[in-house]
Amino acid sequence: MMGPAHSLSGAAAWLCLGAAVAAAGHPMPWPVLAVGAMICAGAALAPDLDHKSATISRAFGPLSRALCGIIDALSHSVYKATRMKGDPRRNGGHRTLTHTALWALLIGAGASGLAMVGGRWAVLAILFVHVVLAVEGLLWRMARTSSDVLVWLLGAAGAWILAGILNQPGNGSDWLFGDPGQEYMWLGLPIVLGALVHDLGDALTVSGCPILWPIPIGRKRWYPLGPPKAMRFRAGSRVELKVLMPAFMVLGGVAGLGALELF
């Protein structure tokens, strides 16, 4: 799928999680719901850091472009080192390492650890990156007609404001993990969810997605999971733009109301 659809699916996924825990009698504080949806929308773009034309690879200028080259090379090396006889030869690393459930879990765990160890500035950095990505994904028309600096300033301001709101007593800095020193440990959860939703979205497309790597399936370790080929679509097709994106918006809106217990 393309960037806007990925971001919408990420936001909708977190709002659905919020609705589910509210229905179970443990509603999220509204700042956790809002910030989590923002992070999840941004994190749903992150697996495409292995592709030089992806939104995330352009989002932070030379820094993200350089990181893209490193991730692409790393992904390609891991693919070559672990491929089985049934896996085809490849020239690049797109849709390999960063499109696996294992990668999603590692990135989320790393973000949680960084937030706990690094304190406020680490939290601000995590929020800044994901607010910028969420703007790039959800408000892509505005982002592409604006300067990168303006988007970065919006991300910095948003991160500062959101961190200030979360730091208020009862607003969720210690949501889910309440022991001393575990503040903001939950920030890794929307990052994991966003990456997994990205992978599931790509699994619906023609190429599929190797979500279960390194578990071998048949003669392939990088088996491209997905529905039957007749049910798949091409990225950017009418199915994505006219069916899935409106569905994500409606689902997210309904789930958000449920998460806030407004019906």
Side-chain angles (χ1 to χ4, degrees):
M1 292 197 298
M2 305 298 285
H6 279 310
S7 282
L8 279 172
S9 67
W14 185 260
L15 293 171
C16 285
L17 177 62
V21 298
H26 303 284
M28 295 178 182
W30 72 263
V32 172
L33 184 69
V35 173
M38 184 77 70
I39 293 175
C40 204
L45 297 178
D48 276 344
L49 190 55
D50 59 5
H51 193 291
K52 64 181 180 180
S53 298
T55 300
I56 185 174
S57 300
R58 304 189 306 267
F60 299 97
L63 179 61
S64 55
R65 286 194 291 271
L67 185 58
C68 170
I70 295 171
I71 295 297
D72 180 41
L74 172 65
S75 298
H76 191 209
S77 296
V78 172
Y79 181 87
K80 290 191 297 182
T82 62
R83 63 184 287 266
M84 296 174 64
K85 292 183 178 180
D87 294 307
R89 294 185 181 276
R90 299 178 59 100
N91 294 321
H94 182 47
R95 283 204 186 186
T96 55
L97 181 61
T98 62
H99 286 68
T100 64
L102 179 59
W103 176 271
L105 292 172
L106 290 175
I107 293 299
S112 290
L114 180 63
M116 290 189 297
V117 173
R120 178 175 174 80
W121 290 106
V123 171
L124 285 171
I126 293 169
L127 290 175
F128 167 72
V129 168
H130 289 90
V131 170
V132 169
L133 292 177
V135 171
E136 293 278 359
L138 298 175
L139 304 176
W140 63 276
R141 291 184 186 276
M142 183 206 78
R144 291 190 180 181
T145 57
S146 303
S147 69
D148 288 340
V149 174
L150 182 59
V151 176
W152 299 339
L153 288 174
L154 180 60
W160 190 270
I161 293 169
L162 292 173
I165 293 172
L166 286 172
N167 277 334
Q168 297 298 315
N171 275 2
S173 62
D174 58 350
W175 176 71
L176 200 60
F177 303 100
D179 292 338
Q182 293 184 345
E183 292 82 6
Y184 293 107
M185 187 175 176
W186 65 269
L187 286 182
L189 297 179
I191 293 175
V192 173
L193 182 59
L196 290 177
V197 169
H198 178 111
D199 296 344
L200 292 173
D202 279 354
L204 298 175
T205 63
V206 173
S207 299
C209 191
I211 301 172
L212 296 182
W213 177 87
I215 300 172
I217 300 177
R219 298 173 63 248
K220 296 182 178 182
R221 195 178 301 278
W222 297 90
Y223 188 87
L225 290 178
K229 290 187 177 181
M231 299 175 62
R232 301 187 190 189
F233 57 88
R234 294 190 179 278
S237 67
R238 289 181 61 84
V239 172
E240 178 179 332
L241 299 176
K242 303 298 184 181
V243 178
L244 291 182
M245 288 181 65
F248 293 148
M249 286 188 281
V250 172
L251 179 62
V254 172
L257 293 175
L260 294 172
E261 300 183 299
L262 296 179
F263 67 81

